[in-house]
Amino acid sequence: CTSRPPSHAMASSAPSLRERAVAMPARIAAALGTFARRASSDSGSAQASAATGEVCRGALSRPRAAASGVPRVLSISLGGPGSDYDDSGAPAEALCRAANDRGSSNADAATAPATRALCRAPKSRLVSSLPSRIAISDQDAPATPQDVDTAFIERALRAAGELPPGLRVARVDVRPLALQGFISDVARCRISYAAESDCHDDGGSQMASLRPSVIVKCTASGAESYAAGVECDAYRTEATFFAVLAEVVAVSSPDCLLVVADADDARYCYVLEDLDERPGLYFVPQAEGAGEKECLAVAVGLAELHAPRWRWDAPLPAWVLPLTANRLRNPAAAVSEYWQAFSASTYQTELPPTSQRAFERVAARAATLAAALDQGPRTLLHGDARGDNLFFGDAASPGGVVFLDWQLVCSGIGAFDLAWFVSTSVRVPCEARDRRVVEAYWNALTSHASGRVPKERYSLEACWRDYLLGCATSMALFVLAPKFLPAGKRVEKPKEYAQLAEMVSRSAATVACVGADTVAFERLV
């Protein structure tokens, strides 16, 4: 199916796209383009429009980039030194200079430090080079990877500055990946290049250095999956991550060459680095299960993500919503809406009795669990750090881990990310191993150079309790399995069903093993 899912496919209780546009912080609305014009005409967004106006007026007077014919970053204000977006404490002007070829911008972001805005000119289809070398455009997005053609890939490569003059994309071979996401369609595009004319003598040598492939990721073509992605705001969240955070977090992620959102924000398409081509990386399929080596690597990588943005009291940026604000990531909401369907499905009835009882115990206290998640210190979460969303072996990244799929970025208990990985990506539960992994995470967290998580304030015992709460939460969220893939489609989609059922089984087995179903659902900090 390549047509847009009908509007009734979306959950009726989810806020409309227009309502989200009004409520969304102006700095992100501007960064992603299509919302700024709509929000500015609504009385509910008058204050946000006024806050960004001064920066926008200055930005519109700046010249276009001569080389590409598109505007550079118009203005960035991220809150000044030590802001939530900048680990190093570098002022906003430095980020703006980095976005504009390392020093060619005269942006005066300091004139409006409170706006934290990424501004772009209204009423035009612009492509802005952002700090992560990403270009964001509001032109029509391909509905599926199969709609991607040579012109689209060539545009992405030129926007990223990776296709030299005189060369063109001659052909793309689009092949769906064996591993598909639950709310996205993903494919690998093999690229063939050619010289634009016979006069281009060095075309052969230049072509040898170009990317042989990219990954194209589109919003889901299936109505149910698409509705789930819209409900949890996954598509816009990932675009926001690449625009705002990808260059300032210490952990590695794929290069993002282009993000395209269509005019009404209903479809997104991302052109990403193919990590199979990055030297030294290896992948452990989630179905095979990660070993303790990978668990320890993930623990170190997550600590590096969490520590600089650890908050004891102060909130994270407004666009980083709490885990529980997403109905698809809130254990109380999940159990309330789907426990009856889940408990009658083969996802639950085919589990061992100990795992079934673990589900029942956690479900009975889901509201208490959700309340605990909103207490105490929180940090920036990846939100979906499971085996199929990770590569290993990157010497330049903490723990060697490269994190993919940033669609569920949120704030919450740091150990949730670790619990989500271990409970879904390791085949055999083992409390002794989990304690070693949690201790490695705690050591990296509390020894981080930021000094935000001192051992005197966050004990290993408190970290272990947070891990147990994360395990219980991870399992409770699998009550939603019938929403993503009804058990009745087991014959129609055997591979997808087996993958989801295995995650349900592993998560429940982990909870039963470590006692996360019987622990008090309250934090120790």
Side-chain angles (χ1 to χ4, degrees):
C1 175
T2 59
S3 60
R4 178 173 302 153
S7 58
H8 65 262
M10 302 182 194
S12 59
S13 59
S16 69
L17 291 171
R18 177 176 175 79
E19 289 171 336
R20 293 186 206 180
V22 173
M24 184 173 154
R27 59 186 178 277
I28 304 305
L32 300 183
T34 60
F35 290 101
R37 296 186 294 279
R38 283 180 250 168
S40 65
S41 64
D42 192 289
S43 59
S45 63
Q47 184 176 1
S49 300
T52 60
E54 184 64 30
V55 179
C56 288
R57 281 192 291 275
L60 297 182
S61 65
R62 296 191 178 94
R64 291 174 179 267
S68 60
V70 299
R72 295 175 177 272
V73 174
L74 302 179
S75 180
I76 299 178
S77 178
L78 302 181
S83 76
D84 289 327
Y85 300 111
D86 183 9
D87 287 342
S88 66
E93 301 98 301
L95 290 178
C96 200
R97 286 195 297 272
N100 291 311
D101 298 330
R102 306 295 178 189
S104 62
S105 171
N106 294 317
D108 51 348
T111 61
T115 62
R116 299 180 180 178
L118 293 169
C119 292
R120 52 174 290 172
K123 299 181 181 179
S124 60
R125 296 184 181 277
L126 306 180
V127 178
S128 299
S129 301
L130 290 166
S132 55
R133 298 191 307 120
I134 176 183
I136 293 184
S137 170
D138 62 354
Q139 295 181 4
D140 288 341
T144 72
Q146 285 66 39
D147 295 320
V148 170
D149 57 15
T150 57
F152 181 77
I153 296 300
E154 183 168 319
R155 175 182 161 213
L157 294 170
R158 292 201 189 281
E162 295 193 0
L163 189 60
L167 297 182
R168 63 183 176 86
V169 173
R171 183 173 179 270
V172 292
D173 181 18
V174 182
R175 299 288 180 91
L177 293 186
L179 292 172
Q180 292 291 316
F182 289 107
I183 53 178
S184 297
D185 294 346
V186 190
R188 174 175 285 109
C189 294
R190 296 287 182 188
I191 308 171
S192 299
Y193 299 94
E196 291 183 332
S197 71
D198 294 336
C199 299
H200 199 74
D201 296 333
D202 63 343
S205 61
Q206 284 187 304
M207 283 187 275
S209 65
L210 299 179
R211 294 182 187 271
S213 61
V214 293
I215 298 298
V216 172
K217 181 177 181 178
C218 297
T219 47
S221 55
E224 295 90 350
S225 296
Y226 175 78
V230 170
E231 184 176 355
C232 63
D233 208 19
Y235 308 123
R236 183 152 51 87
T237 295
E238 186 160 33
T240 306
F241 167 80
F242 282 118
V244 177
L245 283 177
E247 284 294 309
V248 296
V249 295
V251 298
S252 181
S253 58
D255 289 341
C256 182
L257 281 66
L258 180 71
V259 175
V260 174
D262 66 6
D264 59 2
D265 194 58
R267 287 287 177 191
Y268 279 81
C269 181
Y270 314 81
V271 181
L272 304 168
E273 172 189 8
D274 184 353
L275 290 175
D276 275 357
E277 302 296 333
R278 189 184 291 190
L281 298 191
Y282 69 95
F283 178 72
V284 180
Q286 190 168 319
E288 294 182 9
E292 186 166 344
K293 172 186 173 182
E294 286 75 32
C295 291
L296 293 171
V298 171
V300 172
L302 288 174
E304 190 69 34
L305 174 67
H306 296 160
R309 291 165 187 80
W310 190 274
R311 298 292 185 271
W312 291 97
D313 299 306
L316 271 81
W319 74 270
V320 183
L321 298 178
L323 178 75
T324 55
N326 181 343
R327 290 173 60 250
L328 300 184
R329 310 294 276 176
N330 184 315
V335 168
S336 174
E337 295 181 41
Y338 279 91
W339 174 250
Q340 185 173 358
F342 175 83
S343 61
S345 73
T346 51
Y347 289 113
Q348 166 76 338
T349 60
E350 293 184 358
L351 291 175
T354 54
S355 294
Q356 291 189 37
R357 288 193 293 271
F359 258 110
E360 291 163 359
R361 292 190 191 102
V362 171
R365 297 189 292 149
T368 304
L369 177 59
L373 299 178
D374 288 332
Q375 304 299 317
R378 279 166 279 181
T379 187
L380 179 76
L381 302 182
H382 177 280
D384 195 16
R386 55 187 179 86
D388 285 345
N389 290 335
L390 306 173
F391 274 73
F392 300 91
D394 186 347
S397 185
V401 184
V402 183
F403 292 86
L404 293 70
D405 201 347
W406 294 85
Q407 294 180 318
L408 297 176
V409 172
C410 59
S411 66
I413 297 175
F416 167 79
D417 267 346
L418 185 61
W420 181 255
F421 171 76
V422 174
S423 65
T424 61
S425 307
V426 178
R427 296 184 65 180
V428 180
C430 174
E431 181 176 353
R433 179 206 58 227
D434 287 13
R435 286 188 177 274
R436 290 191 295 271
V437 171
V438 170
E439 185 170 4
Y441 169 75
W442 177 77
N443 280 327
L445 190 72
T446 55
S447 62
H448 191 271
S450 67
R452 293 197 177 195
V453 195
K455 292 183 178 181
E456 304 78 34
R457 197 169 182 184
Y458 190 58
S459 67
L460 179 57
E461 181 184 8
C463 189
W464 177 252
R465 173 63 62 87
D466 284 351
Y467 177 77
L468 296 182
L469 296 178
C471 288
T473 301
S474 300
M475 186 187 71
L477 297 179
F478 282 116
V479 170
L480 293 167
K483 176 182 179 71
F484 289 97
L485 186 63
K489 293 189 175 182
R490 185 175 189 172
V491 175
E492 179 184 341
K493 296 184 175 182
K495 184 176 180 179
E496 292 83 352
Y497 176 87
Q499 179 188 17
L500 188 52
E502 178 66 15
M503 291 171 68
V504 172
S505 176
R506 290 180 184 179
S507 183
T510 297
V511 166
C513 175
V514 300
D517 54 331
T518 57
V519 72
F521 286 168
E522 57 186 35
R523 301 190 68 185
L524 301 182
V525 287

